Amino acid sequence: MGRKKAEEAKIINRIKEAADIAGASNRLISLWTDVKYTTVSSWNSNTSQPSEMNLNEIGELLEEDNRNLLAPQGRVNTGLAKILEQELNRLHKEEGLPYEVEQLNKKGENVKVNNPELTKRLKEFAERYRKKTVKK
């Protein structure tokens, strides 16, 4: 995941808030996780995110469960995964779209990759489904 500008950052983690409550500075977190001080600053501003290992180390330091270091995303279960699984099976069986297609890699060798057409169709289906479920 690339670095974002601070004004574009979505709140994904709450490391800064948890560190403030625990009384831990950015410097302490950077030393504890063995990363640059500026890396911790970017985690705090949500312009980048820590790895799972770093998140676990921060949790150990702050004595917080890792789940408490992540901000809730406000997702609501609408049954999307189940309906997408049905659509995947339909596209594969009825329309004959393969799960994978062959493509040349950088070395000029044939390799199997996820079918981009299948992925596109699933994402379009999901978008239409979300629009319908939001209107209800």
Coordinates of all heavy atoms in Angstrom, one line a residue, residues 6-8 13-14 20 22-23 26 43 50 60 65 73 76-77 81 85 89 113 119 126 134:
A6 N -1.8 13.3 3.7 CA -2.5 13.3 4.9 C -4.0 13.7 4.7 O -4.9 13.1 5.4 CB -1.9 14.3 5.9
E7 N -4.3 14.6 3.8 CA -5.7 15.0 3.6 C -6.5 13.9 2.9 O -7.7 13.9 2.9 CB -5.9 16.3 2.9 CG -5.3 16.3 1.5 CD -3.8 16.7 1.4 OE1 -3.1 16.8 2.5 OE2 -3.3 16.8 0.3
E8 N -5.8 12.9 2.3 CA -6.5 11.8 1.6 C -6.6 10.6 2.4 O -7.3 9.6 2.1 CB -5.7 11.4 0.3 CG -5.6 12.5 -0.7 CD -4.6 12.1 -1.9 OE1 -3.8 11.1 -1.7 OE2 -4.7 12.7 -2.9
N13 N -6.2 3.0 11.3 CA -5.7 2.5 12.6 C -5.9 3.7 13.6 O -6.1 4.8 13.3 CB -4.2 2.1 12.5 CG -3.3 3.3 12.4 OD1 -3.2 4.1 13.3 ND2 -2.5 3.3 11.3
R14 N -5.8 3.3 14.9 CA -5.9 4.3 16.0 C -4.7 4.1 16.9 O -4.8 4.2 18.1 CB -7.3 4.1 16.7 CG -7.7 2.8 17.1 CD -9.0 2.8 17.9 NE -9.0 3.5 19.1 CZ -8.4 3.1 20.2 NH1 -7.9 1.9 20.3 NH2 -8.5 3.8 21.3
D20 N -1.2 7.6 22.9 CA -1.5 8.8 23.8 C -2.0 8.3 25.2 O -1.6 8.7 26.2 CB -2.4 9.8 23.2 CG -1.8 10.6 22.1 OD1 -0.5 10.5 21.9 OD2 -2.5 11.2 21.3
A22 N -1.8 5.3 26.5 CA -0.8 4.5 27.2 C 0.5 5.3 27.6 O 1.2 4.8 28.4 CB -0.3 3.3 26.3
G23 N 0.6 6.5 27.1 CA 1.7 7.3 27.4 C 3.0 7.0 26.7 O 4.1 7.2 27.2
N26 N 6.1 8.6 20.0 CA 6.5 8.0 18.7 C 7.9 7.5 18.7 O 8.2 6.4 18.1 CB 6.5 9.1 17.6 CG 5.1 9.5 17.2 OD1 4.1 8.9 17.7 ND2 4.9 10.4 16.2
W43 N 2.2 6.2 10.2 CA 1.2 5.4 10.8 C 0.1 6.2 11.5 O -1.1 6.0 11.4 CB 1.8 4.3 11.7 CG 2.7 3.3 11.1 CD1 2.8 3.0 9.8 CD2 3.6 2.5 11.8 NE1 3.7 2.0 9.6 CE2 4.2 1.6 10.8 CE3 4.0 2.3 13.1 CZ2 5.2 0.7 11.1 CZ3 4.9 1.4 13.4 CH2 5.5 0.6 12.4
P50 N 1.0 0.0 9.4 CA 2.0 -1.0 9.8 C 1.7 -2.4 9.3 O 0.6 -2.7 9.0 CB 1.9 -0.9 11.3 CG 0.5 -0.5 11.6 CD 0.1 0.4 10.5
E60 N 1.8 -5.2 21.8 CA 2.5 -5.7 23.0 C 3.0 -4.5 23.8 O 2.9 -4.5 25.0 CB 3.7 -6.6 22.5 CG 3.3 -7.9 22.0 CD 4.6 -8.7 21.5 OE1 5.7 -8.1 21.5 OE2 4.3 -9.8 21.0
D65 N -5.0 -5.1 22.7 CA -5.3 -6.1 21.7 C -5.2 -5.5 20.3 O -5.6 -4.3 20.2 CB -6.8 -6.7 21.9 CG -7.1 -7.9 21.1 OD1 -7.3 -7.7 19.9 OD2 -7.1 -9.0 21.7
Q73 N -14.5 0.1 10.5 CA -14.8 0.6 9.2 C -16.2 0.9 8.9 O -16.6 1.3 7.8 CB -14.1 -0.3 8.2 CG -12.6 -0.4 8.3 CD -11.9 0.9 8.2 OE1 -12.1 1.6 7.3 NE2 -11.1 1.2 9.2
V76 N -21.5 -3.0 7.0 CA -22.7 -3.7 7.3 C -22.8 -4.9 6.4 O -22.6 -4.8 5.2 CB -23.9 -2.7 7.1 CG1 -25.2 -3.5 7.3 CG2 -23.8 -1.5 7.9
N77 N -23.2 -6.0 7.0 CA -23.3 -7.3 6.3 C -24.6 -7.2 5.5 O -25.7 -7.2 6.0 CB -23.3 -8.5 7.2 CG -23.3 -9.8 6.5 OD1 -23.6 -9.8 5.3 ND2 -22.9 -10.8 7.1
A81 N -21.0 -11.4 0.0 CA -20.1 -12.5 -0.3 C -20.9 -13.7 -0.9 O -20.5 -14.3 -1.9 CB -19.3 -12.9 0.9
E85 N -20.7 -15.1 -4.6 CA -20.3 -16.5 -4.9 C -21.3 -17.2 -5.9 O -20.8 -17.9 -6.8 CB -20.3 -17.3 -3.6 CG -19.7 -18.7 -3.6 CD -18.2 -18.7 -3.9 OE1 -17.5 -17.8 -3.4 OE2 -17.7 -19.5 -4.7
N89 N -20.2 -18.5 -9.7 CA -20.6 -19.8 -10.2 C -21.4 -19.7 -11.5 O -21.2 -20.5 -12.5 CB -21.4 -20.6 -9.2 CG -20.5 -21.1 -8.1 OD1 -19.3 -21.3 -8.2 ND2 -21.1 -21.2 -6.9
V113 N -3.0 -16.5 -14.7 CA -3.4 -15.4 -13.8 C -4.9 -15.3 -13.7 O -5.7 -15.9 -14.5 CB -2.9 -14.0 -14.4 CG1 -1.4 -14.0 -14.5 CG2 -3.6 -13.7 -15.7
T119 N -13.0 -10.9 -13.0 CA -12.9 -10.0 -11.9 C -13.7 -8.7 -12.2 O -14.4 -8.2 -11.3 CB -11.4 -9.6 -11.7 OG1 -10.7 -10.8 -11.4 CG2 -11.2 -8.6 -10.6
A126 N -21.1 -6.4 -8.0 CA -21.1 -5.9 -6.6 C -21.5 -4.5 -6.5 O -22.3 -4.1 -5.6 CB -19.7 -6.1 -6.0
V134 N -28.5 -0.3 -0.8 CA -28.5 1.0 -0.1 C -29.9 1.6 -0.2 O -30.3 2.3 0.7 CB -27.4 1.8 -0.6 CG1 -27.5 3.3 -0.1 CG2 -26.0 1.3 -0.3

